[in-house]
Amino acid sequence: MTYDVPFIRPVFPPATVIAGDWDEIVASNWFTNFGPRERRLAAAVADRIGSGYHAVTFANATIALIGLIGEALGRGDGTRSVAVPSFTFAAGAEAIEWAGYRPVFLDIEAGSLQPSLPEARKLRADLGDELAGVLLCNTFGIGNPAIADWGAWATESGIPLLIDSAAGFGSDYVDGRPVGVAGAAEVFSFHATKPFAIGEGGAVVTRDEDLAQRLRAFQNFGFGPDRAAVGLGLNGKLPELSAAIGLRQLESFDAAVATRRSVVESYRGALEPAGWRFPENIGRSSVCFATVVAPDGETRDAALAALASSRVEARAYYAPVVHRQPRYAVPALDLPVTDDVASRVVSLPVHQDMAEADVARVIGALDAVRSR
Ligand SMILES: *Cc1c(COP(=O)(O)O)cnc(C)c1O
């Protein structure tokens, strides 16, 4: 089925602009391996987060997560666990496994849809030292409103806090600080589906210079200074052409985020009075898409059908949740909030510079559901 309003529609710089960049890359004969554009992009990403932060770019966020978990916690032998929400994208659990740990799933808070700190405390009490770390996820790239409490708990319990903020480049926490400042490190994705879209790409942001150095080595075959493998690495580098697209996207990124936030304001104004609930703090995010929670599962199902017949492409993120996907299925695991929310979510398209008529069409489809 083709849709009039696609779920995601990234905006890229004109081909002529990128062609000029490409000509310069060819003239310089430097295509990848930490070239000048990759370095400029890494510096610009770090700069946006704040002084004292280091950014390490990656070919994508999944490799960044694998590298971060392995370097921050040490590569595991499959016996210890890392906590991760089930209400997120599967890459988190997969990265935990690739780094040698077992994912254990956390329930979420009903209001924020973010991982529950009380549940993490319980898990820590149950597992003791078997819990090696937490992969917090800033759900949908929205800054977790309880991030200060998470930070305090991580410090007091000695549990390293790593954060999957894949869709969160350009988002802010409730205190106004940018997503990227929290935990031991945060990970961004620059996939074409994220607000900051390159195509494929990602970055780790951290204050820990030594960790940043190890992450650069990890993505470059584990090489030490004399191009000899010291640690276990792989190839996870960001090529110059991708960095060039990223640098161009940065030029207009603030304006792009503003247009995405205004779409969410329109959705909220129309839908909140009708009982649709938006995740807390979505208004300070860079708004990858707008996941709304229906009053009940029937309304959700009707909404998905109404959107489809209006030729609007919608999704239900995150359903199925990770602990219901075949690889991770734990039938006995009870995550009541996660399962309840997953039965009630609708994810609405949000585009940069989204046409008013398209916004109206989305709202109209959900209005029809309300008045049935
Ligand atoms: C998109 C996404 C990823 C994966 O990012 P890639 O750059 O595509 O590897 C990981 N975690 C979350 C929460 C995501 O939304």
Side-chain angles (χ1 to χ4, degrees):
M1 173 157 184
T2 59
Y3 296 93
D4 297 339
V5 183
F7 185 58
I8 300 272
R9 200 181 55 204
V11 176
F12 285 106
T16 48
V17 171
I18 300 302
D21 292 340
W22 177 244
D23 284 342
E24 284 182 26
I25 291 167
V26 172
S28 74
N29 200 31
W30 195 344
F31 300 95
T32 186
N33 289 11
F34 313 109
R37 282 181 170 75
E38 186 281 332
R39 288 184 208 187
R40 263 165 53 209
L41 181 65
V45 168
D47 218 50
R48 207 182 156 97
I49 304 310
S51 75
Y53 284 86
H54 309 273
V56 182
T57 66
F58 274 88
N60 61 61
T62 304
I63 292 178
L65 284 166
I66 295 168
L68 174 61
I69 297 164
E71 294 301 329
L73 307 183
R75 271 169 33 86
D77 61 4
T79 60
R80 299 174 75 211
S81 301
V82 173
V84 65
S86 173
F87 191 72
T88 185
F89 191 59
E94 291 175 325
I96 289 167
E97 278 201 271
W98 279 112
Y101 293 89
R102 295 200 305 229
V104 286
F105 297 106
L106 281 174
D107 209 352
I108 52 171
E109 297 286 346
S112 63
L113 312 185
Q114 303 271 2
S116 159
L117 180 54
E119 292 298 314
R121 288 183 198 277
K122 268 194 235 161
L123 201 62
R124 163 76 167 156
D126 288 352
L127 295 182
D129 289 342
E130 200 204 291
L131 184 67
V134 172
L135 181 63
L136 203 65
C137 296
N138 274 320
T139 312
F140 311 127
I142 300 169
N144 187 328
I147 196 67
D149 296 338
W150 275 98
W153 174 73
T155 306
E156 113 209 347
S157 62
I159 298 276
L161 188 61
L162 312 175
I163 308 180
D164 176 355
S165 301
F169 190 62
S171 297
D172 292 328
Y173 286 112
V174 285
D175 65 2
R177 295 197 306 157
V179 165
V181 298
E186 297 199 38
V187 177
F188 296 123
S189 170
F190 304 149
H191 191 264
T193 51
K194 315 292 181 185
F196 186 71
I198 287 181
E200 293 278 6
V204 176
V205 179
T206 179
R207 261 186 304 217
D208 183 340
E209 189 170 4
D210 185 58
L211 176 62
Q213 199 44 54
R214 296 202 310 276
L215 287 168
R216 267 182 221 107
F218 169 79
Q219 63 168 281
N220 194 31
F221 312 101
F223 281 168
D226 49 1
R227 295 183 55 76
V230 177
L232 178 64
L234 45 63
N235 182 1
K237 300 183 298 285
L238 187 77
E240 284 295 280
L241 180 58
S242 299
I245 296 171
L247 287 168
R248 293 296 176 190
Q249 293 292 54
L250 263 185
E251 291 171 8
S252 53
F253 186 52
D254 289 328
V257 168
T259 74
R260 305 180 80 94
R261 287 181 183 174
S262 79
V263 172
V264 163
E265 282 319 301
S266 301
Y267 285 166
R268 288 180 88 156
L271 301 175
E272 275 181 340
W276 295 91
R277 211 163 44 69
F278 288 69
E280 286 163 19
N281 203 32
I282 188 174
R284 282 182 192 260
S285 78
S286 50
V287 198
C288 197
F289 43 77
T291 286
V292 292
V293 184
D296 54 67
E298 267 172 40
T299 307
R300 190 283 293 271
D301 294 345
L304 286 174
L307 288 159
S309 59
S310 301
R311 304 180 68 82
V312 172
E313 185 182 17
R315 300 277 171 85
Y317 283 125
Y318 293 103
V321 291
V322 182
H323 85 289
R324 300 291 177 208
Q325 297 180 26
R327 178 167 181 82
Y328 296 104
V330 195
L333 183 61
D334 190 24
L335 302 177
V337 183
T338 296
D339 282 328
D340 172 53
V341 165
S343 73
R344 295 194 283 136
V345 282
V346 180
S347 304
L348 305 174
V350 172
H351 305 163
Q352 177 178 335
D353 301 318
M354 191 165 177
E356 267 177 49
D358 290 349
V359 175
R361 194 193 291 214
V362 172
I363 292 170
L366 295 193
D367 271 346
V369 171
R370 168 178 49 161
S371 55
R372 273 153 29 113

